[in-house]
Amino acid sequence: MNSDSTPASAPAPAPALDLEPAARRIAGLLGAIDDGRLGGPTPCPDYAVRELLAHLSGLAAAFRDAARKDLGASTAVSPDSALPVLDDDWREVLPRRLEEVAAAWRSADAWTGMTRAGGVELPGEVAGAVALNELVVHGWDLARSTGQPYGAGEAELRSCEALLAPADDDPDGGSLFGAPVPVPDGAPLLDRVIGLSGRRPDWQPDLRPGS
């Protein structure tokens, strides 16, 4: 290289977290969910399966746009502002949005600067970790609600564990989802994450008539 050559800029580092496996697992659960399951209970007290699916569709769109820094209506509204409504075309829309959110967070630029999700301004790297956590935990919710197996990779679960762990100065405080539920010593990492999210890892839907 001569003295007046301009060195090429270094490529942006690859994202530390990959949302595709978590998004793909959720998509893989959808085929087993017939209309008769939509009214079934979930670990989220205010949600039946249909509301959980609607929430997943909404959060996938919101975090897709947060990654793209496309800060419009999808990123401005808190998910707690109203009960989500499942669109009739969810079987086509939700898988597409899951693909889109995973693809959006494969861009290194998504993890830099500031963005917004749920009406909250936050750094891109934090938003990405929150997005992954939402997919992992709500993926478990959906699997458990519909009687399907569920697993997650260690890197995903370590990220969720770090995000959900109570602060040192507030060990009994709630996480993004609620107050942690204690789990036995030596419990699997997935169970520990689910407990930190305020859920019982042994939760099962009560399908008795009138329940």
Side-chain angles (χ1 to χ4, degrees), residues 72-142:
S74 67
T75 66
V77 180
S78 167
D80 299 328
S81 61
L83 200 64
V85 176
L86 187 64
D87 294 329
D88 292 339
D89 58 354
W90 68 271
R91 295 185 186 279
E92 293 76 39
V93 171
L94 179 51
R96 183 176 70 248
R97 287 183 174 178
L98 290 167
E99 290 180 0
E100 290 170 348
V101 71
W105 286 100
R106 281 198 292 271
S107 168
D109 290 342
W111 300 82
T112 63
M114 295 295 292
T115 190
R116 183 178 68 201
V120 178
E121 304 283 337
L122 67 174
E125 62 184 319
V126 176
V130 172
L132 175 62
N133 183 74
E134 290 276 340
L135 293 174
V136 169
V137 173
H138 285 312
W140 180 89
D141 288 335
L142 187 62

Short mmCIF file of all heavy atoms in Angstrom, two decimals, residues 72-142:
data_model
loop_
_atom_site.label_atom_id
_atom_site.label_comp_id
_atom_site.label_asym_id
_atom_site.label_seq_id
_atom_site.Cartn_x
_atom_site.Cartn_y
_atom_site.Cartn_z
N GLY A 72 -41.85 3.61 13.84
CA GLY A 72 -43.20 4.09 13.57
C GLY A 72 -44.18 3.54 14.59
O GLY A 72 -43.84 3.30 15.75
N ALA A 73 -45.40 3.32 14.13
CA ALA A 73 -46.47 2.89 15.04
C ALA A 73 -46.16 1.55 15.69
O ALA A 73 -46.51 1.32 16.86
CB ALA A 73 -47.78 2.81 14.26
N SER A 74 -45.51 0.63 14.97
CA SER A 74 -45.28 -0.71 15.53
C SER A 74 -44.36 -0.68 16.73
O SER A 74 -44.44 -1.58 17.59
CB SER A 74 -44.69 -1.63 14.45
OG SER A 74 -43.38 -1.20 14.09
N THR A 75 -43.48 0.32 16.81
CA THR A 75 -42.53 0.38 17.92
C THR A 75 -42.96 1.34 19.02
O THR A 75 -42.26 1.48 20.02
CB THR A 75 -41.15 0.80 17.42
OG1 THR A 75 -41.21 2.15 16.94
CG2 THR A 75 -40.65 -0.11 16.31
N ALA A 76 -44.09 2.01 18.84
CA ALA A 76 -44.47 3.10 19.74
C ALA A 76 -45.41 2.67 20.85
O ALA A 76 -45.55 3.38 21.85
CB ALA A 76 -45.12 4.23 18.94
N VAL A 77 -46.07 1.53 20.70
CA VAL A 77 -47.16 1.16 21.61
C VAL A 77 -46.71 0.07 22.58
O VAL A 77 -46.10 -0.92 22.18
CB VAL A 77 -48.38 0.67 20.81
CG1 VAL A 77 -49.51 0.28 21.75
CG2 VAL A 77 -48.85 1.74 19.84
N SER A 78 -47.01 0.27 23.86
CA SER A 78 -46.71 -0.75 24.86
C SER A 78 -47.57 -1.98 24.62
O SER A 78 -48.77 -1.86 24.32
CB SER A 78 -46.99 -0.20 26.26
OG SER A 78 -46.99 -1.26 27.22
N PRO A 79 -47.01 -3.19 24.75
CA PRO A 79 -47.82 -4.40 24.56
C PRO A 79 -48.90 -4.56 25.61
O PRO A 79 -49.82 -5.36 25.42
CB PRO A 79 -46.78 -5.53 24.64
CG PRO A 79 -45.64 -4.94 25.40
CD PRO A 79 -45.60 -3.49 25.02
N ASP A 80 -48.81 -3.82 26.70
CA ASP A 80 -49.82 -3.90 27.76
C ASP A 80 -50.97 -2.92 27.55
O ASP A 80 -51.88 -2.86 28.38
CB ASP A 80 -49.17 -3.62 29.12
CG ASP A 80 -48.09 -4.62 29.47
OD1 ASP A 80 -48.23 -5.79 29.06
OD2 ASP A 80 -47.11 -4.24 30.13
N SER A 81 -50.94 -2.17 26.45
CA SER A 81 -51.95 -1.13 26.27
C SER A 81 -53.33 -1.71 25.96
O SER A 81 -54.35 -1.07 26.24
CB SER A 81 -51.53 -0.18 25.15
OG SER A 81 -51.41 -0.88 23.92
N ALA A 82 -53.39 -2.90 25.37
CA ALA A 82 -54.68 -3.53 25.04
C ALA A 82 -54.44 -5.01 24.80
O ALA A 82 -53.32 -5.43 24.48
CB ALA A 82 -55.29 -2.89 23.79
N LEU A 83 -55.48 -5.80 24.97
CA LEU A 83 -55.37 -7.23 24.71
C LEU A 83 -55.18 -7.43 23.20
O LEU A 83 -55.96 -6.91 22.40
CB LEU A 83 -56.65 -7.94 25.18
CG LEU A 83 -56.56 -9.45 25.42
CD1 LEU A 83 -55.59 -9.75 26.56
CD2 LEU A 83 -57.94 -10.01 25.74
N PRO A 84 -54.14 -8.17 22.79
CA PRO A 84 -53.90 -8.32 21.35
C PRO A 84 -55.00 -9.15 20.68
O PRO A 84 -55.56 -10.07 21.28
CB PRO A 84 -52.55 -9.04 21.29
CG PRO A 84 -52.43 -9.75 22.60
CD PRO A 84 -53.14 -8.88 23.60
N VAL A 85 -55.29 -8.82 19.44
CA VAL A 85 -56.35 -9.48 18.67
C VAL A 85 -55.70 -10.25 17.53
O VAL A 85 -54.88 -9.70 16.77
CB VAL A 85 -57.35 -8.46 18.11
CG1 VAL A 85 -58.39 -9.15 17.24
CG2 VAL A 85 -58.03 -7.70 19.26
N LEU A 86 -56.04 -11.52 17.41
CA LEU A 86 -55.46 -12.38 16.38
C LEU A 86 -56.16 -12.15 15.05
O LEU A 86 -57.38 -12.30 14.93
CB LEU A 86 -55.58 -13.84 16.80
CG LEU A 86 -54.88 -14.87 15.91
CD1 LEU A 86 -53.37 -14.65 15.93
CD2 LEU A 86 -55.22 -16.29 16.37
N ASP A 87 -55.38 -11.82 14.02
CA ASP A 87 -55.94 -11.62 12.69
C ASP A 87 -56.29 -12.96 12.05
O ASP A 87 -55.69 -13.99 12.35
CB ASP A 87 -54.93 -10.88 11.80
CG ASP A 87 -54.68 -9.45 12.27
OD1 ASP A 87 -55.62 -8.85 12.84
OD2 ASP A 87 -53.56 -8.96 12.08
N ASP A 88 -57.26 -12.93 11.14
CA ASP A 88 -57.69 -14.15 10.48
C ASP A 88 -56.59 -14.80 9.66
O ASP A 88 -56.58 -16.02 9.49
CB ASP A 88 -58.89 -13.86 9.57
CG ASP A 88 -60.15 -13.49 10.36
OD1 ASP A 88 -60.22 -13.82 11.56
OD2 ASP A 88 -61.05 -12.86 9.76
N ASP A 89 -55.65 -14.00 9.16
CA ASP A 89 -54.60 -14.53 8.30
C ASP A 89 -53.30 -14.82 9.06
O ASP A 89 -52.22 -14.85 8.48
CB ASP A 89 -54.32 -13.57 7.15
CG ASP A 89 -53.91 -12.18 7.63
OD1 ASP A 89 -53.96 -11.93 8.86
OD2 ASP A 89 -53.57 -11.34 6.77
N TRP A 90 -53.42 -15.11 10.35
CA TRP A 90 -52.23 -15.29 11.18
C TRP A 90 -51.35 -16.44 10.72
O TRP A 90 -50.13 -16.40 10.89
CB TRP A 90 -52.61 -15.47 12.64
CG TRP A 90 -53.33 -16.75 12.97
CD1 TRP A 90 -54.66 -16.96 12.95
CD2 TRP A 90 -52.73 -17.98 13.39
NE1 TRP A 90 -54.96 -18.26 13.33
CE2 TRP A 90 -53.78 -18.90 13.60
CE3 TRP A 90 -51.43 -18.41 13.62
CZ2 TRP A 90 -53.57 -20.22 14.03
CZ3 TRP A 90 -51.20 -19.71 14.03
CH2 TRP A 90 -52.26 -20.60 14.24
N ARG A 91 -51.94 -17.45 10.11
CA ARG A 91 -51.13 -18.60 9.68
C ARG A 91 -50.16 -18.23 8.57
O ARG A 91 -49.12 -18.89 8.40
CB ARG A 91 -52.03 -19.75 9.24
CG ARG A 91 -52.86 -20.34 10.37
CD ARG A 91 -53.65 -21.56 9.94
NE ARG A 91 -54.54 -22.00 10.99
CZ ARG A 91 -54.17 -22.76 12.02
NH1 ARG A 91 -52.90 -23.15 12.12
NH2 ARG A 91 -55.05 -23.12 12.94
N GLU A 92 -50.47 -17.20 7.80
CA GLU A 92 -49.55 -16.70 6.79
C GLU A 92 -48.67 -15.58 7.33
O GLU A 92 -47.47 -15.52 7.03
CB GLU A 92 -50.33 -16.18 5.57
CG GLU A 92 -51.07 -17.23 4.78
CD GLU A 92 -52.35 -17.70 5.46
OE1 GLU A 92 -53.04 -16.85 6.05
OE2 GLU A 92 -52.64 -18.92 5.42
N VAL A 93 -49.25 -14.71 8.14
CA VAL A 93 -48.53 -13.52 8.59
C VAL A 93 -47.47 -13.84 9.64
O VAL A 93 -46.33 -13.36 9.56
CB VAL A 93 -49.53 -12.48 9.14
CG1 VAL A 93 -48.79 -11.32 9.81
CG2 VAL A 93 -50.41 -11.95 8.02
N LEU A 94 -47.80 -14.65 10.63
CA LEU A 94 -46.87 -14.90 11.73
C LEU A 94 -45.59 -15.58 11.26
O LEU A 94 -44.49 -15.13 11.63
CB LEU A 94 -47.55 -15.69 12.84
CG LEU A 94 -46.69 -16.04 14.06
CD1 LEU A 94 -45.99 -14.82 14.63
CD2 LEU A 94 -47.55 -16.73 15.14
N PRO A 95 -45.63 -16.65 10.46
CA PRO A 95 -44.36 -17.22 9.99
C PRO A 95 -43.50 -16.21 9.22
O PRO A 95 -42.27 -16.19 9.37
CB PRO A 95 -44.81 -18.38 9.10
CG PRO A 95 -46.16 -18.75 9.59
CD PRO A 95 -46.78 -17.45 10.01
N ARG A 96 -44.14 -15.38 8.42
CA ARG A 96 -43.38 -14.38 7.66
C ARG A 96 -42.72 -13.37 8.60
O ARG A 96 -41.56 -13.00 8.41
CB ARG A 96 -44.30 -13.67 6.67
CG ARG A 96 -43.55 -12.66 5.79
CD ARG A 96 -44.45 -12.05 4.74
NE ARG A 96 -45.44 -11.13 5.31
CZ ARG A 96 -46.75 -11.35 5.32
NH1 ARG A 96 -47.25 -12.46 4.82
NH2 ARG A 96 -47.58 -10.46 5.85
N ARG A 97 -43.47 -12.92 9.60
CA ARG A 97 -42.88 -11.95 10.53
C ARG A 97 -41.74 -12.56 11.34
O ARG A 97 -40.76 -11.88 11.66
CB ARG A 97 -43.97 -11.41 11.46
CG ARG A 97 -44.92 -10.45 10.76
CD ARG A 97 -45.96 -9.87 11.70
NE ARG A 97 -46.76 -8.85 11.04
CZ ARG A 97 -47.76 -8.20 11.61
NH1 ARG A 97 -48.10 -8.47 12.88
NH2 ARG A 97 -48.44 -7.28 10.95
N LEU A 98 -41.86 -13.83 11.67
CA LEU A 98 -40.78 -14.50 12.40
C LEU A 98 -39.51 -14.56 11.54
O LEU A 98 -38.40 -14.34 12.03
CB LEU A 98 -41.21 -15.90 12.82
CG LEU A 98 -42.27 -15.95 13.94
CD1 LEU A 98 -42.85 -17.35 14.05
CD2 LEU A 98 -41.67 -15.50 15.28
N GLU A 99 -39.67 -14.85 10.26
CA GLU A 99 -38.52 -14.83 9.36
C GLU A 99 -37.93 -13.43 9.27
O GLU A 99 -36.69 -13.25 9.27
CB GLU A 99 -38.95 -15.29 7.96
CG GLU A 99 -39.30 -16.76 7.84
CD GLU A 99 -39.71 -17.13 6.43
OE1 GLU A 99 -39.72 -16.24 5.55
OE2 GLU A 99 -40.03 -18.31 6.20
N GLU A 100 -38.79 -12.43 9.22
CA GLU A 100 -38.33 -11.05 9.06
C GLU A 100 -37.59 -10.56 10.29
O GLU A 100 -36.57 -9.86 10.17
CB GLU A 100 -39.51 -10.14 8.74
CG GLU A 100 -40.10 -10.37 7.36
CD GLU A 100 -41.41 -9.65 7.13
OE1 GLU A 100 -42.00 -9.14 8.13
OE2 GLU A 100 -41.87 -9.60 5.98
N VAL A 101 -38.08 -10.88 11.48
CA VAL A 101 -37.40 -10.39 12.68
C VAL A 101 -36.04 -11.06 12.82
O VAL A 101 -35.05 -10.40 13.20
CB VAL A 101 -38.27 -10.57 13.94
CG1 VAL A 101 -38.41 -12.03 14.36
CG2 VAL A 101 -37.71 -9.76 15.10
N ALA A 102 -35.95 -12.34 12.50
CA ALA A 102 -34.65 -13.01 12.57
C ALA A 102 -33.68 -12.40 11.57
O ALA A 102 -32.50 -12.15 11.89
CB ALA A 102 -34.82 -14.50 12.31
N ALA A 103 -34.15 -12.14 10.35
CA ALA A 103 -33.29 -11.56 9.33
C ALA A 103 -32.84 -10.15 9.72
O ALA A 103 -31.67 -9.78 9.50
CB ALA A 103 -34.02 -11.53 7.99
N ALA A 104 -33.73 -9.36 10.29
CA ALA A 104 -33.40 -7.98 10.65
C ALA A 104 -32.28 -7.92 11.68
O ALA A 104 -31.40 -7.05 11.62
CB ALA A 104 -34.64 -7.26 11.17
N TRP A 105 -32.29 -8.86 12.63
CA TRP A 105 -31.27 -8.84 13.67
C TRP A 105 -29.99 -9.55 13.26
O TRP A 105 -29.04 -9.59 14.04
CB TRP A 105 -31.84 -9.42 14.97
CG TRP A 105 -32.78 -8.47 15.63
CD1 TRP A 105 -34.13 -8.48 15.59
CD2 TRP A 105 -32.42 -7.32 16.40
NE1 TRP A 105 -34.65 -7.41 16.27
CE2 TRP A 105 -33.63 -6.68 16.78
CE3 TRP A 105 -31.21 -6.76 16.79
CZ2 TRP A 105 -33.64 -5.52 17.55
CZ3 TRP A 105 -31.22 -5.60 17.56
CH2 TRP A 105 -32.42 -5.00 17.93
N ARG A 106 -29.92 -10.06 12.03
CA ARG A 106 -28.64 -10.56 11.52
C ARG A 106 -27.75 -9.41 11.05
O ARG A 106 -26.55 -9.61 10.84
CB ARG A 106 -28.88 -11.55 10.37
CG ARG A 106 -29.27 -12.94 10.86
CD ARG A 106 -29.07 -13.98 9.78
NE ARG A 106 -30.00 -13.83 8.67
CZ ARG A 106 -31.21 -14.39 8.63
NH1 ARG A 106 -31.63 -15.15 9.63
NH2 ARG A 106 -32.00 -14.20 7.57
N SER A 107 -28.31 -8.23 10.89
CA SER A 107 -27.52 -7.06 10.51
C SER A 107 -26.76 -6.53 11.72
O SER A 107 -27.36 -6.29 12.78
CB SER A 107 -28.44 -5.97 9.95
OG SER A 107 -27.73 -4.75 9.83
N ALA A 108 -25.47 -6.33 11.55
CA ALA A 108 -24.68 -5.77 12.66
C ALA A 108 -25.17 -4.38 13.05
O ALA A 108 -25.10 -3.99 14.22
CB ALA A 108 -23.20 -5.71 12.26
N ASP A 109 -25.70 -3.62 12.09
CA ASP A 109 -26.18 -2.27 12.38
C ASP A 109 -27.36 -2.28 13.35
O ASP A 109 -27.60 -1.29 14.06
CB ASP A 109 -26.60 -1.57 11.10
CG ASP A 109 -25.42 -1.22 10.20
OD1 ASP A 109 -24.28 -1.21 10.71
OD2 ASP A 109 -25.64 -1.00 9.00
N ALA A 110 -28.11 -3.38 13.38
CA ALA A 110 -29.26 -3.46 14.28
C ALA A 110 -28.84 -3.35 15.74
O ALA A 110 -29.59 -2.85 16.58
CB ALA A 110 -30.03 -4.76 14.05
N TRP A 111 -27.63 -3.79 16.03
CA TRP A 111 -27.15 -3.87 17.41
C TRP A 111 -26.43 -2.61 17.87
O TRP A 111 -25.91 -2.56 18.99
CB TRP A 111 -26.23 -5.08 17.56
CG TRP A 111 -26.92 -6.37 17.23
CD1 TRP A 111 -27.12 -6.91 15.99
CD2 TRP A 111 -27.54 -7.26 18.14
NE1 TRP A 111 -27.82 -8.08 16.07
CE2 TRP A 111 -28.09 -8.33 17.39
CE3 TRP A 111 -27.68 -7.28 19.53
CZ2 TRP A 111 -28.78 -9.40 17.97
CZ3 TRP A 111 -28.35 -8.35 20.13
CH2 TRP A 111 -28.88 -9.38 19.35
N THR A 112 -26.39 -1.60 17.02
CA THR A 112 -25.69 -0.36 17.36
C THR A 112 -26.69 0.79 17.49
O THR A 112 -27.81 0.72 16.99
CB THR A 112 -24.66 -0.01 16.28
OG1 THR A 112 -25.34 0.24 15.03
CG2 THR A 112 -23.67 -1.14 16.08
N GLY A 113 -26.25 1.86 18.14
CA GLY A 113 -27.09 3.04 18.27
C GLY A 113 -28.29 2.80 19.16
O GLY A 113 -28.38 1.81 19.89
N MET A 114 -29.22 3.73 19.07
CA MET A 114 -30.46 3.64 19.85
C MET A 114 -31.61 3.23 18.95
O MET A 114 -31.60 3.47 17.74
CB MET A 114 -30.77 5.00 20.49
CG MET A 114 -29.76 5.45 21.52
SD MET A 114 -29.69 4.38 22.99
CE MET A 114 -31.31 4.73 23.72
N THR A 115 -32.62 2.63 19.57
CA THR A 115 -33.83 2.26 18.85
C THR A 115 -35.00 2.36 19.82
O THR A 115 -34.88 2.91 20.92
CB THR A 115 -33.70 0.87 18.21
OG1 THR A 115 -34.82 0.67 17.33
CG2 THR A 115 -33.64 -0.23 19.24
N ARG A 116 -36.15 1.81 19.42
CA ARG A 116 -37.34 1.87 20.28
C ARG A 116 -38.15 0.60 20.08
O ARG A 116 -38.26 0.08 18.97
CB ARG A 116 -38.19 3.08 19.90
CG ARG A 116 -39.42 3.27 20.80
CD ARG A 116 -40.19 4.52 20.39
NE ARG A 116 -40.81 4.35 19.08
CZ ARG A 116 -41.19 5.36 18.31
NH1 ARG A 116 -40.99 6.60 18.68
NH2 ARG A 116 -41.76 5.13 17.13
N ALA A 117 -38.72 0.11 21.18
CA ALA A 117 -39.65 -1.02 21.13
C ALA A 117 -40.61 -0.88 22.30
O ALA A 117 -40.20 -0.52 23.41
CB ALA A 117 -38.91 -2.35 21.21
N GLY A 118 -41.88 -1.15 22.05
CA GLY A 118 -42.87 -1.02 23.11
C GLY A 118 -42.97 0.39 23.68
O GLY A 118 -43.36 0.56 24.84
N GLY A 119 -42.60 1.38 22.87
CA GLY A 119 -42.64 2.76 23.33
C GLY A 119 -41.46 3.16 24.19
O GLY A 119 -41.44 4.28 24.71
N VAL A 120 -40.46 2.29 24.32
CA VAL A 120 -39.30 2.55 25.18
C VAL A 120 -38.06 2.72 24.32
O VAL A 120 -37.77 1.89 23.45
CB VAL A 120 -39.09 1.39 26.18
CG1 VAL A 120 -37.87 1.64 27.04
CG2 VAL A 120 -40.33 1.21 27.06
N GLU A 121 -37.32 3.79 24.55
CA GLU A 121 -36.04 4.00 23.88
C GLU A 121 -34.97 3.18 24.58
O GLU A 121 -34.87 3.20 25.82
CB GLU A 121 -35.66 5.49 23.92
CG GLU A 121 -36.70 6.44 23.35
CD GLU A 121 -36.71 6.43 21.83
OE1 GLU A 121 -35.67 6.06 21.24
OE2 GLU A 121 -37.74 6.81 21.24
N LEU A 122 -34.17 2.46 23.80
CA LEU A 122 -33.14 1.63 24.40
C LEU A 122 -32.04 1.34 23.38
O LEU A 122 -32.27 1.43 22.17
CB LEU A 122 -33.72 0.34 24.97
CG LEU A 122 -34.30 -0.74 24.06
CD1 LEU A 122 -34.67 -1.96 24.89
CD2 LEU A 122 -35.53 -0.29 23.31
N PRO A 123 -30.84 1.00 23.87
CA PRO A 123 -29.74 0.71 22.94
C PRO A 123 -30.07 -0.51 22.08
O PRO A 123 -30.76 -1.44 22.52
CB PRO A 123 -28.56 0.43 23.87
CG PRO A 123 -28.91 1.09 25.16
CD PRO A 123 -30.39 0.97 25.28
N GLY A 124 -29.55 -0.52 20.86
CA GLY A 124 -29.81 -1.64 19.97
C GLY A 124 -29.42 -2.97 20.55
O GLY A 124 -30.14 -3.97 20.41
N GLU A 125 -28.27 -3.03 21.24
CA GLU A 125 -27.83 -4.31 21.78
C GLU A 125 -28.78 -4.81 22.87
O GLU A 125 -28.98 -6.02 23.02
CB GLU A 125 -26.41 -4.19 22.33
CG GLU A 125 -26.24 -3.21 23.47
CD GLU A 125 -24.79 -3.07 23.89
OE1 GLU A 125 -24.11 -4.11 23.95
OE2 GLU A 125 -24.36 -1.95 24.15
N VAL A 126 -29.38 -3.90 23.61
CA VAL A 126 -30.36 -4.31 24.62
C VAL A 126 -31.65 -4.76 23.96
O VAL A 126 -32.25 -5.78 24.32
CB VAL A 126 -30.62 -3.16 25.62
CG1 VAL A 126 -31.73 -3.55 26.61
CG2 VAL A 126 -29.35 -2.79 26.36
N ALA A 127 -32.09 -4.02 22.94
CA ALA A 127 -33.31 -4.39 22.23
C ALA A 127 -33.19 -5.77 21.61
O ALA A 127 -34.14 -6.56 21.62
CB ALA A 127 -33.62 -3.35 21.15
N GLY A 128 -32.01 -6.09 21.06
CA GLY A 128 -31.81 -7.41 20.48
C GLY A 128 -31.91 -8.51 21.52
O GLY A 128 -32.50 -9.57 21.27
N ALA A 129 -31.32 -8.29 22.69
CA ALA A 129 -31.40 -9.28 23.75
C ALA A 129 -32.84 -9.44 24.24
O ALA A 129 -33.28 -10.56 24.54
CB ALA A 129 -30.48 -8.88 24.91
N VAL A 130 -33.57 -8.32 24.32
CA VAL A 130 -34.98 -8.40 24.73
C VAL A 130 -35.79 -9.17 23.69
O VAL A 130 -36.64 -10.00 24.02
CB VAL A 130 -35.56 -6.99 24.95
CG1 VAL A 130 -37.07 -7.06 25.18
CG2 VAL A 130 -34.88 -6.30 26.13
N ALA A 131 -35.53 -8.90 22.42
CA ALA A 131 -36.25 -9.60 21.36
C ALA A 131 -36.02 -11.10 21.44
O ALA A 131 -36.97 -11.90 21.32
CB ALA A 131 -35.81 -9.08 19.99
N LEU A 132 -34.77 -11.50 21.63
CA LEU A 132 -34.48 -12.93 21.76
C LEU A 132 -35.19 -13.52 22.97
O LEU A 132 -35.79 -14.61 22.89
CB LEU A 132 -32.97 -13.14 21.90
CG LEU A 132 -32.53 -14.58 22.16
CD1 LEU A 132 -32.94 -15.50 21.02
CD2 LEU A 132 -31.02 -14.64 22.39
N ASN A 133 -35.16 -12.81 24.08
CA ASN A 133 -35.82 -13.29 25.29
C ASN A 133 -37.32 -13.47 25.07
O ASN A 133 -37.91 -14.47 25.50
CB ASN A 133 -35.57 -12.31 26.43
CG ASN A 133 -36.16 -12.78 27.74
OD1 ASN A 133 -35.64 -13.68 28.37
ND2 ASN A 133 -37.26 -12.16 28.15
N GLU A 134 -37.95 -12.53 24.39
CA GLU A 134 -39.38 -12.62 24.11
C GLU A 134 -39.68 -13.87 23.28
O GLU A 134 -40.65 -14.59 23.53
CB GLU A 134 -39.84 -11.37 23.36
CG GLU A 134 -39.87 -10.11 24.19
CD GLU A 134 -41.14 -9.95 25.00
OE1 GLU A 134 -42.16 -10.59 24.65
OE2 GLU A 134 -41.12 -9.20 25.98
N LEU A 135 -38.85 -14.12 22.27
CA LEU A 135 -39.08 -15.28 21.42
C LEU A 135 -38.88 -16.59 22.19
O LEU A 135 -39.65 -17.54 22.04
CB LEU A 135 -38.14 -15.24 20.21
CG LEU A 135 -38.38 -14.11 19.21
CD1 LEU A 135 -37.28 -14.12 18.15
CD2 LEU A 135 -39.75 -14.22 18.56
N VAL A 136 -37.84 -16.65 23.02
CA VAL A 136 -37.56 -17.88 23.76
C VAL A 136 -38.66 -18.16 24.78
O VAL A 136 -39.20 -19.27 24.84
CB VAL A 136 -36.18 -17.79 24.45
CG1 VAL A 136 -35.99 -18.94 25.44
CG2 VAL A 136 -35.06 -17.81 23.41
N VAL A 137 -38.99 -17.18 25.59
CA VAL A 137 -39.96 -17.41 26.67
C VAL A 137 -41.36 -17.63 26.10
O VAL A 137 -42.07 -18.56 26.51
CB VAL A 137 -39.93 -16.25 27.67
CG1 VAL A 137 -41.06 -16.41 28.71
CG2 VAL A 137 -38.59 -16.19 28.39
N HIS A 138 -41.77 -16.80 25.15
CA HIS A 138 -43.11 -16.98 24.60
C HIS A 138 -43.18 -18.21 23.68
O HIS A 138 -44.26 -18.79 23.51
CB HIS A 138 -43.56 -15.73 23.86
CG HIS A 138 -43.95 -14.61 24.77
ND1 HIS A 138 -44.79 -14.79 25.86
CD2 HIS A 138 -43.62 -13.29 24.76
CE1 HIS A 138 -44.95 -13.63 26.48
NE2 HIS A 138 -44.25 -12.71 25.84
N GLY A 139 -42.05 -18.62 23.13
CA GLY A 139 -42.02 -19.90 22.43
C GLY A 139 -42.30 -21.05 23.38
O GLY A 139 -43.06 -21.97 23.06
N TRP A 140 -41.69 -20.98 24.57
CA TRP A 140 -41.98 -21.99 25.60
C TRP A 140 -43.45 -21.94 26.00
O TRP A 140 -44.10 -22.99 26.13
CB TRP A 140 -41.10 -21.75 26.82
CG TRP A 140 -41.32 -22.72 27.94
CD1 TRP A 140 -40.68 -23.92 28.13
CD2 TRP A 140 -42.23 -22.60 29.04
NE1 TRP A 140 -41.15 -24.54 29.27
CE2 TRP A 140 -42.10 -23.74 29.84
CE3 TRP A 140 -43.15 -21.62 29.41
CZ2 TRP A 140 -42.85 -23.93 31.01
CZ3 TRP A 140 -43.90 -21.81 30.56
CH2 TRP A 140 -43.75 -22.95 31.35
N ASP A 141 -43.99 -20.73 26.17
CA ASP A 141 -45.41 -20.58 26.50
C ASP A 141 -46.28 -21.31 25.48
O ASP A 141 -47.21 -22.04 25.83
CB ASP A 141 -45.82 -19.10 26.50
CG ASP A 141 -45.28 -18.31 27.67
OD1 ASP A 141 -45.00 -18.89 28.73
OD2 ASP A 141 -45.15 -17.07 27.51
N LEU A 142 -45.99 -21.07 24.21
CA LEU A 142 -46.82 -21.64 23.15
C LEU A 142 -46.69 -23.16 23.11
O LEU A 142 -47.69 -23.87 22.96
CB LEU A 142 -46.43 -21.02 21.81
CG LEU A 142 -47.32 -21.40 20.62
CD1 LEU A 142 -48.75 -20.94 20.83
CD2 LEU A 142 -46.75 -20.80 19.32
#
